[in-house]
């Protein structure tokens, strides 16, 4: 039968593994005392040992988390020494499931065996788990913190804070530097400083007819006096009494010609300064949470846990990369001693994120390249013959991209290439030739587009370019009927016919939407899959298309130019071909920013262009106007324009709520010039090709990102005529919007992409390519210097240990797997 001490030890171990939440026993650890003391006395334990346990557990519920951890550690040591009973057994393995809402943060290394014996420090990992190192205590709910009850914890959940680990990685959004103290006689208006003062007088009075209160104090420091005020905090009078010494931090204002401070942060001199006299962190907040309360909570957690977080980066990387330790970085990023230490901490934590990103994409690329694929060789004579049949000469960028693809197809490894090119750079012909290389050897091709409009457009273009139809400029590669279009609304009888043709190989090339991966679509020999506007598709959709063949070659295309920094990280698993030249004969699109008052000028300009036989787009940010929306909406504006502005013209309407057949009907009418003006939402952002359209007006232009505005602009200028893009923001104040002015200054999509990344972050570029990227909290994906540094070390580590199986990389592998998440797999 176990002794009372052995039983107690099990409770204490369980409590430490739960993160000291006082729930190892129902009602709290102190609830075991009556039964335990009785059993201990019967067992003959010394009275001094029983009193020791009684004192420790009676006080336990009132302790904060740090005191609880130290208390359990001390109790285990003391009773072990007093009784001579060794309490050094490894704690039993416990199945611990982190909160489902818990976000990833770098995990801890597995502690040495010696650390799992004797006293039990916070941060123990499960002894039986060596592939998922982590600090169990950090998964504890926030209610284990002193002063945090269920209601406060529920409020903090709105900030994404569920566990202690969430707090560790909840970084400040900015910092106020109050570290420089000044005497009052050296203060100047506008200073943001800390001052050490003595309270001379303080009182509270009602103002605004009793609706508000003002607490006013006069403080001095021997060099001068200062008036300080706080509003609606009458309780301050009890704390800020005459002859109290304070540290005040805030901005110096002016009142009646004299310097003053309004609502400064304050602390008594004898307290540890969290809010004054230092570089003060400022955190994102939600209702009912104040900076002071959150800062105290953070300090309680950070000071206890940051020294206990084991390192996961290899020592060689830390030393050669001149990086700080993880312990120091976490402490300094929350409560920095100096600005230099803050910047060093931010660099380390940003490096961690980029390094893990790089490791993930490098591993993915290596895994993909380890596969084999059917090789396709293209004779020079055949290729030159096809070049000669094209209706126009290819640009140098197109030819280089075709050579890249040609080499990939001949390698015997599956191609995994991103073809990125600006709007109108000629990606379609490159993709068409890539599929032709495969078809020439008897295999099948598929191209998947995000919308039925774009799929239909690809189908028309490919049919015209590749089919033996007698047209000048046709490459005569396919017989009529060997290229088919499969959409969600394709009639069922036609779907069955297409499925049968794909299964028996009589259909060589299929163009479609997500319908290609739905239902029983089977290919006889799919050898190349092309995904257009790839950021519109999720990982699972791309994988599903790829799964239709046996390691088919993959070509993904995007008309959104990708900044170099993203190409190195987010798309690091892909080989990239850049289309940075435009076909000859195209004129740059003139772009102008107009104020809302100049809207009539834009309408007049549209009329003049239509009189010359051209067409126009007008884009709106909303489909229909809601009760709380102040932006213009397509449905209402189309009716107004038809009625009041263009009564003699035919206006079309296109938006995302329309049925596919309705969209097709509208686009067909616009393509056939049956309508002169197309009123639309952002559904025309991608791929719509109307060479006769020369005017693009974007209403509410300030609501769109640069990448999206550039896509809109690319819907015009596709013919030989001069085209125009007119951007109209919601109000006059937005006319000087920096993003809109950049649009007017350049047509270079790569410049715009870099600027968009700086201003809006990577969201516009990532789309659904989220694995690993949504968790970035510190890294800036426009920091090419840090990205290249992390990339260099990631390659170095993988070259030394491709599977990260060495003991040195054990913690790194665990952290990497948590960062990318289980089952994310294909990220291309």
């Amino acid at each position: 039968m176990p002794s009372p001490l052995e039983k107690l030890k099990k409770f204490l171990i369980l409590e430490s593994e739960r993160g000291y939440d006082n729930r190892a026993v129902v009602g709290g650890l102190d609830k075991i005392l009556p039964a335990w003391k009785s059993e201990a006395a019967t067992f003959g334990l010394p009275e001094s040992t029983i009193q020791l346990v009684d004192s420790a557990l009676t006080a336990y519920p009132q302790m904060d988390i740090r005191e609880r951890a130290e208390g359990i550690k001390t109790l285990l040591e003391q009773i072990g020494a007093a009784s001579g009973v060794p309490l050094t057994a490894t704690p039993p393995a416990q199945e611990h499931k982190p909160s489902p809402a818990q976000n990833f943060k770098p995990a801890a290394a597995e502690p040495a065996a010696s650390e799992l014996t004797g006293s039990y420090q916070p941060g123990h990992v499960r002894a039986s788990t060596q592939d998922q190192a982590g600090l169990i205590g950090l998964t504890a709910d926030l209610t284990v913190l002193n002063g945090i009850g269920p209601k406060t914890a529920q409020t903090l959940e709105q900030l994404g804070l569920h566990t202690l680990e969430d707090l560790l990685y909840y970084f400040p959004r900015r910092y106020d530097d109050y570290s420089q103290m000044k005497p009052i006689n050296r203060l100047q208006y506008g200073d943001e400083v800390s001052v050490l003062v003595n309270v001379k007088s303080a009182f509270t009075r009602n103002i605004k007819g009793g609706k508000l209160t003002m607490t006013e104090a006069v403080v001095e420091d021997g060099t001068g006096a200062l008036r300080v005020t706080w509003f609606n905090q009458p309780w301050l009078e009890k704390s800020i009494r005459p002859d109290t010494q304070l540290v005040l931090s805030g901005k110096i204002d002016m009142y009646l010609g004299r310097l003053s401070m309004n609502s400064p942060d304050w602390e008594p001199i004898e307290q540890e300064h969290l809010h004054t006299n230092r570089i003060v962190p400022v955190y994102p907040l939600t209702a009912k949470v104040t900076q002071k309360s959150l800062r105290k909570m953070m300090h309680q957690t950070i000071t206890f846990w940051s020294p206990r977080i084991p390192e996961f980066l290899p020592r060689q990387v830390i030393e050669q990369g001149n990086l700080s330790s993880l312990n120091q970085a976490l402490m300094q990023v929350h409560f920095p001693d100096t600005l230099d230490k803050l910047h060093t901490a931010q660099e380390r934590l940003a490096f961690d994120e980029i390094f893990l990103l790089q490791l993930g994409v490098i591993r993915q690329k290596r895994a993909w390249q380890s596969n084999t694929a059917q090789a396709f060789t293209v004779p020079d004579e055949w290729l030159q013959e096809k070049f000669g049949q094209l209706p126009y000469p290819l640009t140098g960028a197109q030819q280089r991209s075709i050579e890249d693809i040609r080499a990939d197809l001949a390698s015997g490894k599956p191609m995994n290439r991103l073809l990125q090119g600006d709007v109108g750079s000629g990606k379609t012909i490159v993709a068409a030739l890539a599929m032709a290389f495969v078809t020439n050897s008897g295999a099948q091709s598929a191209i998947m587009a995000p919308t039925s409009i774009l799929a239909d457009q690809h189908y028309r273009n490919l049919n015209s370019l590749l089919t033996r139809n007698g047209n000048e400029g046709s490459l005569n590669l396919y017989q009529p009927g060997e290229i088919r279009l499969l959409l969600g609304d394709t009639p069922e009888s036609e779907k069955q016919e297409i499925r049968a043709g794909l299964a028996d190989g009589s259909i060589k090339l299929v163009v479609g939407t997500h319908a290609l991966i739905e239902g029983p679509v089977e290919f006889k020999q799919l050898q190349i899959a092309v995904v257009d506007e790839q950021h519109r598709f999720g990982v699972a959709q791309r994988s599903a298309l790829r799964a239709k063949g046996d390691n088919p070659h993959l070509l993904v295309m995007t008309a959104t130019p990708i900044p170099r920094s993203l190409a190195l990280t987010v798309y690091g698993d892909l080989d990239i071909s850049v289309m940075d030249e435009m076909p000859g004969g195209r004129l740059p699109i003139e772009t102008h920013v107009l104020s809302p008052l100049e809207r009539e000028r834009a309408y007049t300009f549209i009329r003049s262009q239509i009189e010359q036989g051209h067409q126009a787009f007008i884009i709106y940010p909303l489909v229909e106007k809601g009760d709380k929306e102040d932006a213009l909406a397509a449905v209402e504006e189309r009716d107004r324009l038809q009625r009041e502005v263009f009564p003699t013209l035919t206006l079309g309407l296109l938006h995302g709520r329309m049925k596919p057949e309705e969209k097709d009907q509208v686009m067909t009418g616009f393509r056939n010039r049956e309508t002169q003006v197309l009123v639309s939402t952002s559904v025309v952002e991608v791929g719509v090709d109307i060479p006769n359209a020369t005017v693009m007006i974007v209403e509410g232009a300030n609501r769109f990102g640069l990448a999206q505005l550039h896509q809109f602009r690319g819907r015009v200028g596709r013919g030989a005529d001069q085209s125009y893009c007119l951007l109209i923001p919601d109000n006059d104040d937005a006319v000087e919007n920096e993003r809109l002015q950049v649009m007017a200054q350049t047509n270079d999509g790569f410049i715009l992409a870099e600027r968009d990344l700086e201003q809006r972050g990577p969201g516009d570029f990532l789309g659904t390519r989220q694995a690993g990227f949504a968790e970035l909290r510190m890294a800036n994906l426009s920091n090419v210097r840090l990205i290249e540094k992390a990339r260099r070390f990631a390659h170095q580590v993988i070259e030394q240990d491709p599977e990260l199986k060495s003991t040195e990389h054990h913690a790194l592998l665990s952290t990497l797997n948590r960062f990318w998440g289980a089952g994310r797999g294909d990220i291309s």
Side-chain angles (χ1 to χ4, degrees):
M1 178 178 175
S3 74
L5 288 179
E6 288 294 333
K7 291 180 181 179
L8 176 63
K9 185 189 77 169
K10 291 181 179 180
F11 286 125
L12 297 181
I13 290 171
L14 179 59
E15 177 65 13
S16 69
E17 289 179 340
R18 289 186 58 87
Y20 312 101
D21 62 358
N22 200 23
R23 294 178 186 172
V25 176
V26 176
L29 269 183
D30 57 316
K31 296 299 186 289
I32 70 171
L33 280 171
W36 185 88
K37 287 196 296 182
S38 175
E39 184 180 350
T42 303
F43 195 81
L45 287 183
E47 182 63 25
S48 59
T49 301
I50 296 174
Q51 287 300 319
L52 188 68
V53 174
D54 187 21
S55 299
L57 297 193
T58 299
Y60 191 80
Q62 285 73 48
M63 297 177 179
D64 64 26
I65 189 171
R66 182 175 3 181
E67 292 167 335
R68 289 177 180 179
E70 294 299 332
I72 285 182
K73 170 188 173 183
T74 303
L75 181 58
L76 282 164
E77 290 174 343
Q78 288 176 332
I79 62 179
S83 66
V85 178
L87 300 177
T88 58
T90 299
Q94 297 290 331
E95 183 59 33
H96 183 93
K97 295 183 179 179
S99 162
Q102 180 182 340
N103 292 327
F104 163 79
K105 295 94 191 177
E110 187 84 15
S114 60
E115 294 178 65
L116 291 173
T117 60
S119 61
Y120 291 93
Q121 296 286 352
H124 277 172
V125 301
R126 287 171 284 173
S128 64
T129 307
Q130 295 195 351
D131 62 340
Q132 195 179 1
L135 292 172
I136 296 301
L138 282 176
T139 64
D141 295 337
L142 297 183
T143 50
V144 303
L145 292 174
N146 196 24
I148 304 298
K151 277 192 174 180
T152 304
Q154 192 172 7
T155 301
L156 291 169
E157 286 180 5
Q158 298 174 29
L159 296 172
L161 301 175
H162 304 268
T163 67
L164 297 179
E165 194 176 21
D166 291 330
L167 286 180
L168 269 183
Y169 287 84
Y170 190 68
F171 298 132
R173 60 183 172 87
R174 65 178 174 85
Y175 301 84
D176 291 334
D177 187 359
Y178 298 136
S179 59
Q180 301 302 314
M181 301 281 282
K182 274 189 177 183
I184 291 176
N185 67 348
R186 290 178 54 198
L187 296 178
Q188 296 182 348
Y189 175 75
D191 281 350
E192 292 191 12
V193 294
S194 290
V195 287
L196 179 63
V197 298
N198 187 63
V199 179
K200 186 174 182 181
S201 64
F203 62 92
T204 299
R205 58 188 173 91
N206 293 324
I207 58 175
K208 302 283 185 181
K211 295 179 181 178
L212 301 174
T213 63
M214 182 174 75
T215 300
E216 181 174 337
V218 176
V219 299
E220 57 186 8
D221 70 348
T223 70
L226 194 65
R227 177 179 179 269
V228 187
T229 55
W230 292 269
F231 294 95
N232 286 337
Q233 299 179 60
W235 59 86
L236 288 180
E237 190 176 357
K238 295 179 180 178
S239 301
I240 301 176
R241 298 173 177 172
D243 295 325
T244 302
Q245 287 193 309
L246 304 173
V247 178
L248 302 176
S249 291
K251 189 173 182 178
I252 302 301
D253 290 319
M254 189 80 74
Y255 178 73
L256 298 177
R258 294 189 175 184
L259 297 181
S260 64
M261 294 182 86
N262 290 322
S263 300
D265 285 325
W266 65 276
E267 288 175 309
I269 283 179
E270 64 271 13
Q271 285 191 1
E272 180 177 17
H273 295 162
L274 294 184
H275 319 292
T276 62
N277 193 28
R278 64 172 302 138
I279 301 172
V280 178
V282 180
Y283 295 94
L285 296 178
T286 188
K288 300 180 182 178
V289 178
T290 66
Q291 281 293 344
K292 276 197 172 183
S293 64
L294 183 55
R295 213 174 279 140
K296 287 179 180 178
M297 189 190 319
M298 298 297 290
H299 192 261
Q300 183 182 350
T301 306
I302 302 304
T303 53
F304 181 80
W305 280 108
S306 63
R308 291 167 168 79
I309 302 293
E311 185 61 72
F312 71 90
L313 282 185
R315 181 177 301 174
Q316 184 180 9
V317 173
I318 295 174
E319 292 174 353
Q320 293 182 5
N322 195 26
L323 300 169
S324 74
S325 70
L326 184 56
N327 313 106
Q328 279 295 309
L330 286 170
M331 189 69 216
Q332 292 297 321
V333 82
H334 287 283
F335 297 98
D337 295 328
T338 65
L339 288 176
D340 284 343
K341 289 184 178 180
L342 169 61
H343 296 151
T344 300
Q346 290 172 324
E347 169 114 349
R348 163 62 204 262
L349 295 169
F351 177 91
D352 285 354
E353 294 177 336
I354 297 296
F355 182 71
L356 292 169
L357 266 183
Q358 294 286 8
L359 282 177
V361 295
I362 292 169
R363 281 205 314 180
Q364 175 66 29
K365 187 168 187 175
R366 288 175 67 93
W368 182 245
Q369 289 177 336
S370 67
N371 294 324
T372 58
Q374 184 175 336
F376 296 91
T377 55
V378 181
D380 290 340
E381 302 78 19
W382 183 91
L383 187 58
Q384 292 305 318
E385 177 190 344
K386 297 308 173 189
F387 282 172
Q389 292 173 352
L390 291 172
Y392 43 77
L394 296 178
T395 65
Q398 286 174 314
Q399 293 184 45
R400 287 192 297 273
S401 298
I402 289 169
E403 284 302 321
D404 289 342
I405 293 168
R406 186 183 177 193
D408 288 346
L409 293 176
S411 70
K413 302 289 184 182
M415 175 171 68
N416 200 32
R417 184 167 293 277
L418 172 66
L419 182 62
Q420 64 156 322
D422 215 339
V423 176
S425 60
K427 296 182 297 298
T428 303
I429 184 61
V430 174
L433 284 168
M435 291 185 286
F437 295 163
V438 169
T439 303
N440 192 46
S441 297
Q444 291 171 298
S445 308
I447 178 169
M448 186 165 68
T451 66
S452 56
I453 292 174
L454 186 52
D456 180 67
Q457 186 169 287
H458 278 314
Y459 172 68
R460 292 168 183 268
N461 290 341
L462 292 171
N463 239 331
S464 174
L465 182 66
L466 301 176
T467 304
R468 301 179 192 276
N469 49 24
N471 291 344
E472 185 179 348
S474 171
L475 299 184
N476 298 323
L477 289 170
Y478 297 84
Q479 297 294 340
E482 289 184 338
I483 302 178
R484 296 298 295 269
L485 176 67
L486 181 61
L487 306 174
D489 63 336
T490 299
E492 186 57 34
S493 59
E494 188 177 344
K495 282 183 178 177
Q496 292 179 5
E497 179 188 329
I498 293 172
R499 289 173 191 146
L502 292 172
D504 65 23
S506 58
I507 294 177
K508 302 298 185 185
L509 192 163
V510 63
V511 184
T513 56
H514 54 83
L516 289 177
I517 56 177
E518 293 179 351
V521 176
E522 294 183 4
F523 292 79
K524 182 178 181 181
Q525 191 186 9
L526 177 64
Q527 287 297 333
I528 184 169
V530 179
V531 180
D532 196 14
E533 292 303 329
Q534 65 87 33
H535 64 286
R536 298 299 188 89
F537 291 103
V539 169
Q541 290 169 306
R542 291 191 292 272
S543 298
L545 178 59
R546 180 181 282 166
K548 297 290 183 180
D550 182 17
N551 283 340
H553 298 280
L554 179 69
L555 179 67
V556 293
M557 303 193 296
T558 180
T560 303
I562 297 169
R564 170 172 166 73
S565 57
L566 289 188
L568 290 172
T569 50
V570 180
Y571 298 96
D573 58 316
L574 296 167
D575 297 310
I576 298 179
S577 294
V578 178
M579 309 263 292
D580 52 4
E581 293 179 55
M582 298 297 284
R586 291 198 177 179
L587 299 171
I589 301 166
E590 285 190 23
T591 304
H592 303 276
V593 183
L594 306 181
S595 75
L597 295 176
E598 296 178 291
R599 191 173 281 117
E600 285 301 327
R601 286 180 57 199
Y603 295 156
T604 301
F605 184 69
I606 283 179
R607 291 190 194 96
S608 69
Q609 287 291 300
I610 289 174
E611 287 172 2
Q612 297 175 38
H614 300 305
Q615 293 165 280
F617 292 94
I618 304 180
I619 307 297
Y620 292 94
L622 301 177
V623 176
E624 293 181 284
K625 199 173 184 71
D627 294 337
K628 298 181 181 179
E629 293 285 354
D630 56 0
L632 299 177
V635 173
E636 289 87 352
E637 284 300 298
R638 186 260 191 180
D639 293 340
R640 182 186 70 84
L641 291 170
Q642 184 71 81
R643 185 176 63 251
E644 300 176 9
V645 181
F646 304 117
T648 62
L649 303 179
T650 304
L651 275 63
L653 175 65
L654 185 70
H655 58 74
R657 296 180 190 172
M658 299 169 69
K659 296 178 180 178
E661 58 269 20
E662 293 174 329
K663 293 180 185 177
D664 292 343
Q665 186 177 354
V666 170
M667 286 308 304
T668 300
F670 194 53
R671 188 180 289 113
N672 295 340
R673 307 189 188 186
E674 295 166 9
T675 54
Q676 288 87 30
V677 180
L678 181 61
V679 177
S680 177
T681 58
S682 60
V683 72
V684 303
E685 173 190 350
V686 173
V688 176
D689 188 8
I690 309 292
N692 190 51
T694 57
V695 183
M696 166 62 70
I697 293 181
V698 182
E699 291 277 7
N702 53 297
R703 294 170 177 261
F704 300 104
L706 286 175
Q708 202 169 15
L709 289 173
H710 188 56
Q711 290 291 317
F712 290 146
R713 178 166 61 183
R715 298 311 107 216
V716 297
R718 304 178 78 86
D721 298 299
Q722 178 65 58
S723 294
Y724 307 86
C725 180
L726 308 178
L727 306 175
I728 306 177
D730 287 332
N731 51 63
D732 288 335
D733 293 339
V735 173
E736 296 303 319
N737 184 300
E738 182 183 355
R739 288 185 298 109
L740 302 188
Q741 294 303 322
V742 171
M743 285 291 297
Q745 293 163 9
T746 181
N747 275 279
D748 190 322
F750 289 92
I751 294 175
L752 295 173
E754 293 283 357
R755 195 69 63 88
D756 216 22
L757 178 62
E758 293 170 7
Q759 295 175 353
R760 289 164 63 93
D764 282 357
F765 300 92
L766 297 183
T768 51
R769 189 187 175 85
Q770 292 298 334
F773 307 109
E775 292 87 350
L776 299 185
R777 295 163 180 257
M778 184 63 71
N780 179 354
L781 285 180
S782 62
N783 186 344
V784 175
R785 180 195 63 80
L786 183 63
I787 287 169
E788 290 181 335
K789 176 180 178 179
R791 184 177 178 83
R792 184 173 71 253
F793 282 110
H795 275 290
Q796 178 179 308
V797 168
I798 291 293
E799 286 169 7
Q800 293 173 355
D801 183 9
E803 302 299 323
L804 301 180
K805 291 295 179 63
S806 70
T807 303
E808 182 189 10
H809 296 143
H810 176 81
L812 176 59
L813 179 61
S814 174
T815 303
L816 180 64
N817 289 336
R818 291 185 66 200
F819 183 75
W820 282 94
R824 298 273 178 103
D826 190 317
I827 60 171
S828 65

